[in-house]
Amino acid sequence: VQLQASGGGLVQAGDSLRLSCAASVDILSLDALAWYRQAPGKDREFVALITNGGRTKYVDSVQGRFTLSGDNAKSTVYLQMNNLKPEDTAVYYCNAARKTGEHYSVYWGQGTLVTVSS
């Protein structure tokens, strides 16, 4: 499974961005797709997740501002980020998990940089 993240950029506080994560396989074949982020000098943290059943989960700091959606035909998951804050500045990574037998295989895409200026 290959994941291609895109959509990052430099924006001002309050602006919006939409990140895309394109998968090389049918996203319905994946158990979940997620976004993580890593700010300078910090550990990578979970941001949001969507399961192949459509359930979503968000870290508290983005709840109500970020929204996940999927386009099965394009094998792409989107992270709509509204009302961006300087603390959202980070490299954003997409992640996929697929259960194989008793184990989960985890895949990572390359990061896309989001910079939010105050």
Side-chain angles (χ1 to χ4, degrees):
V1 178
Q2 295 182 329
L3 303 171
Q4 181 74 36
S6 61
L10 171 62
V11 297
Q12 294 186 332
D15 286 349
S16 298
L17 274 177
R18 189 179 76 162
L19 304 184
S20 300
C21 177
S24 62
V25 300
D26 183 351
I27 58 175
L28 293 178
S29 73
L30 302 168
D31 290 90
L33 275 155
W35 287 94
Y36 287 72
R37 66 186 179 187
Q38 187 165 19
K42 295 188 176 181
D43 293 335
R44 191 172 298 187
E45 67 168 352
F46 168 79
V47 177
L49 172 147
I50 185 166
T51 70
N52 59 8
R55 290 181 297 169
T56 56
K57 180 179 175 63
Y58 302 91
V59 68
D60 288 347
S61 60
V62 309
Q63 185 77 43
R65 299 189 297 122
F66 291 11
T67 304
L68 278 166
S69 63
D71 185 333
N72 297 339
K74 296 182 178 180
S75 293
T76 299
V77 168
Y78 303 100
L79 182 66
Q80 178 67 43
M81 306 187 296
N82 297 330
N83 190 22
L84 283 160
K85 303 177 180 181
E87 52 263 41
D88 295 318
T89 294
V91 177
Y92 284 70
Y93 299 89
C94 62
N95 162 287
R98 182 162 63 185
K99 190 173 184 181
T100 306
E102 297 298 317
H103 304 285
Y104 279 95
S105 296
V106 177
Y107 308 90
W108 289 94
Q110 91 292 357
T112 184
L113 176 62
V114 173
T115 304
V116 184
S117 63
S118 57

